Amino acid sequence: MRVLMIGAGGVGDAAAKIAVERDFFDVFVVADYDVERAQRTVSAVQERRPGERRFHAVGVDASDAENVAAMIRLTGATHVLNAVDPRFVMPVFDGCLAAGANYLDMAMSLSNRHPDKPFAMTHVKLGDEQFAKAHDWEQAGKLALVGIGVEPGLSDVFARYAQDNLFSEIDELGTRDGANLAYFGPDGSEAFAPGFSMWTIIEECLNPPVVWEKERAEKGGSLEAGFFTLPPFSEPEVFDFPEGIGPVECVQVEHEEVLLMPRWLDAKRVTFKYGLGEQMISILKALNALGLDSTDPITIKGVQVAPRDIVAAVLPDPATIGPQLTGKTCAGVHVTGTGKDGRPRSTYLYHVADNEVTMREYGAQCIVWQTAINPIVALELLANGTWAGSGVLGPEAFQAEPFLELLAAPQPEGYGSAWGIEEK
């Protein structure tokens, strides 16, 4: 396996540091628009494993499918890991298909807000552009494994595991994400800093969240008929997260799990709720009210710039906040329904990352590390043939047990990252 990873930001850097400890690939090329940033990642993994020669740094323009395809051909990449902003999903996705490489991403192609009805069904949902080309990928005999980060990704693996092993009937697959993280600025006082890309946070939190219901789908005669939207921050609920995180208020957010799970899993309802916190919700509402969430360029003193890009640029880089961050983050899926024994069951399958641990062991803050580990596990399963397929597939399309076993198995056999099950 020859891996080309596009993007050397926080997640890409963490993915490389995780990958260097594994032996399932022959070459791992780190590509970024900023070649120096890619080289910093390569230098970091070489320091981590002295004598390491499989990693190389190159420059690439992720906004240009032809440039991506050319880099795939130049490096001989068999698999491309997309670790850049979701704005660039389609050029990377298309470049892979053109060059005949397999593809993995951690966030899917973007949706479009309805231009006149802000809370109405969007014309293009998350992942629609990718699924529209599924036949092309099948015909090429290549795999596009979409949404294989943590959420989406590990949450989808958990959902497949629950269906296969824990439940005979599922009422709801409810992804629930929460944390007790706190960021402290240079002066030692608690401050605001996003745990991942603020551009992406604005995108997914201010878009109308999507929910899927089986009854709607059956009445409408199609999978698509089951999708509908709600206003941002709808249906708040307090969810009690494990391992000391405790109760966190979670709200509906647009997310890929809702667009992925109904394609392969049988549930009456699919939702995603995120513990944004009162401060983040207030900030997002203010940005929206001021028009600072817009991606349409405006002209300032002769320079064109999108307001959202300005917001993202003035905030701390998520890749650098680890030393000032404390606490844990939890990702998982809350499954309700009927257990294999015929009794009502309510179960939360989860994975917790402690910032102190991820910083000590990988020099990566916990949110980016928790996202980065899952595509590396998936690549290993593809390399050894445990997972195989063609077309555009989500994590739910594959057996969950091998993934979860490899994730939790002690090093060096596995990745040494435990996951848990809690009955609610």
Side-chain angles (χ1 to χ4, degrees), residues 51-194:
E52 177 61 58
R53 294 292 181 266
R54 296 173 297 167
F55 284 75
H56 310 275
V58 299
V60 72
D61 182 356
S63 70
D64 185 338
E66 291 184 4
N67 190 255
V68 171
M71 185 54 64
I72 292 169
R73 297 185 184 105
L74 180 65
T75 59
T78 59
H79 294 72
V80 174
L81 173 55
N82 182 354
V84 292
D85 191 294
R87 285 175 289 181
F88 306 113
V89 160
M90 289 311 297
V92 178
F93 181 83
D94 289 339
C96 286
L97 183 59
N102 298 288
Y103 169 90
L104 297 87
D105 66 29
M106 293 164 273
M108 296 173 67
S109 59
L110 296 173
S111 63
N112 291 336
R113 297 186 198 177
H114 194 293
D116 304 314
K117 302 174 183 178
F119 304 139
M121 189 65 219
T122 52
H123 295 301
V124 178
K125 302 183 301 303
L126 290 171
D128 275 359
E129 290 184 86
Q130 291 172 289
F131 282 118
K133 299 184 177 183
H135 179 71
D136 297 334
W137 283 82
E138 291 171 6
Q139 288 292 102
K142 297 298 179 180
L143 171 65
L145 175 48
V146 297
I148 187 62
V150 61
E151 291 174 343
L154 183 55
S155 53
D156 305 73
V157 174
F158 283 147
R160 173 65 186 265
Y161 181 87
Q163 175 176 277
D164 290 351
N165 298 280
L166 306 179
F167 287 80
S168 60
E169 184 177 54
I170 295 174
D171 293 332
E172 181 172 346
L173 291 169
T175 304
R176 298 294 183 266
D177 181 308
N180 61 357
L181 297 171
Y183 170 76
F184 296 89
D187 63 353
S189 62
E190 191 167 353
F192 175 76

Side-chain angles (χ1 to χ4, degrees), residues 180 241-246 328 330 350-354 418-420 422:
N180 61 357
F241 288 91
E243 298 193 22
I245 295 174
K328 301 176 182 179
C330 179
Y350 67 90
H351 182 265
V352 170
D354 186 326
W419 57 279
E422 182 177 85

Side-chain angles (χ1 to χ4, degrees), residues 9-10 37 194 312-313 315-322 365:
R37 184 162 69 168
L315 288 169
D317 181 350
T320 66
I321 66 173
Q365 57 103 329

Side-chain angles (χ1 to χ4, degrees), residues 16-367:
K17 291 174 180 175
I18 295 166
V20 73
E21 299 174 349
R22 314 300 296 180
D23 296 322
F24 64 85
F25 57 90
D26 301 308
V27 174
F28 197 111
V29 179
V30 181
D32 197 279
Y33 191 78
D34 181 349
V35 184
E36 291 184 2
R37 184 162 69 168
Q39 185 57 59
R40 284 197 296 271
T41 293
V42 171
S43 297
V45 299
Q46 290 172 340
E47 289 177 12
R48 189 172 183 85
R49 189 172 182 176
E52 177 61 58
R53 294 292 181 266
R54 296 173 297 167
F55 284 75
H56 310 275
V58 299
V60 72
D61 182 356
S63 70
D64 185 338
E66 291 184 4
N67 190 255
V68 171
M71 185 54 64
I72 292 169
R73 297 185 184 105
L74 180 65
T75 59
T78 59
H79 294 72
V80 174
L81 173 55
N82 182 354
V84 292
D85 191 294
R87 285 175 289 181
F88 306 113
V89 160
M90 289 311 297
V92 178
F93 181 83
D94 289 339
C96 286
L97 183 59
N102 298 288
Y103 169 90
L104 297 87
D105 66 29
M106 293 164 273
M108 296 173 67
S109 59
L110 296 173
S111 63
N112 291 336
R113 297 186 198 177
H114 194 293
D116 304 314
K117 302 174 183 178
F119 304 139
M121 189 65 219
T122 52
H123 295 301
V124 178
K125 302 183 301 303
L126 290 171
D128 275 359
E129 290 184 86
Q130 291 172 289
F131 282 118
K133 299 184 177 183
H135 179 71
D136 297 334
W137 283 82
E138 291 171 6
Q139 288 292 102
K142 297 298 179 180
L143 171 65
L145 175 48
V146 297
I148 187 62
V150 61
E151 291 174 343
L154 183 55
S155 53
D156 305 73
V157 174
F158 283 147
R160 173 65 186 265
Y161 181 87
Q163 175 176 277
D164 290 351
N165 298 280
L166 306 179
F167 287 80
S168 60
E169 184 177 54
I170 295 174
D171 293 332
E172 181 172 346
L173 291 169
T175 304
R176 298 294 183 266
D177 181 308
N180 61 357
L181 297 171
Y183 170 76
F184 296 89
D187 63 353
S189 62
E190 191 167 353
F192 175 76
F196 60 100
S197 165
M198 190 63 189
W199 197 101
T200 305
I201 292 172
I202 293 171
E203 177 74 15
E204 64 186 26
C205 295
L206 289 178
N207 278 355
V210 181
V211 176
W212 186 86
E213 291 182 352
K214 186 176 183 179
E215 185 177 358
R216 287 175 180 250
E218 290 175 342
K219 285 182 178 179
S222 71
L223 174 82
E224 293 296 317
F227 295 109
F228 64 98
T229 54
L230 298 170
F233 318 121
S234 292
E235 299 182 352
E237 69 170 275
V238 176
F239 192 84
D240 193 10
F241 288 91
E243 298 193 22
I245 295 174
V248 178
E249 184 178 79
C250 299
V251 295
Q252 293 275 12
V253 168
E254 180 194 48
H255 229 254
E256 288 91 341
E257 287 92 331
V258 179
L259 287 308
L260 286 170
M261 290 180 184
R263 296 175 184 272
W264 290 281
L265 304 178
D266 186 12
K268 295 177 182 176
R269 194 169 197 256
V270 183
T271 61
F272 179 95
K273 291 187 181 182
Y274 186 27
L276 289 173
E278 198 173 308
Q279 182 187 37
M280 177 66 84
I281 291 175
S282 297
I283 289 170
L284 289 167
K285 287 180 176 179
L287 291 173
N288 178 248
L290 295 170
L292 293 174
D293 60 324
S294 174
T295 58
D296 296 328
I298 59 174
T299 301
I300 303 175
K301 296 183 178 180
V303 178
Q304 279 204 323
V305 61
R308 191 187 300 185
D309 291 339
I310 296 174
V311 174
V314 300
L315 288 169
D317 181 350
T320 66
I321 66 173
Q324 286 78 47
L325 203 62
T326 64
K328 301 176 182 179
T329 185
C330 179
V333 62
H334 183 209
V335 188
T336 56
T338 304
K340 295 291 188 183
D341 59 2
R343 297 178 181 179
R345 184 165 188 173
S346 174
T347 305
Y348 185 55
L349 298 89
Y350 67 90
H351 182 265
V352 170
D354 186 326
N355 192 71
E356 180 182 350
V357 174
T358 62
M359 284 299 300
R360 181 179 67 244
E361 297 184 359
Y362 291 91
Q365 57 103 329
C366 58
I367 295 176

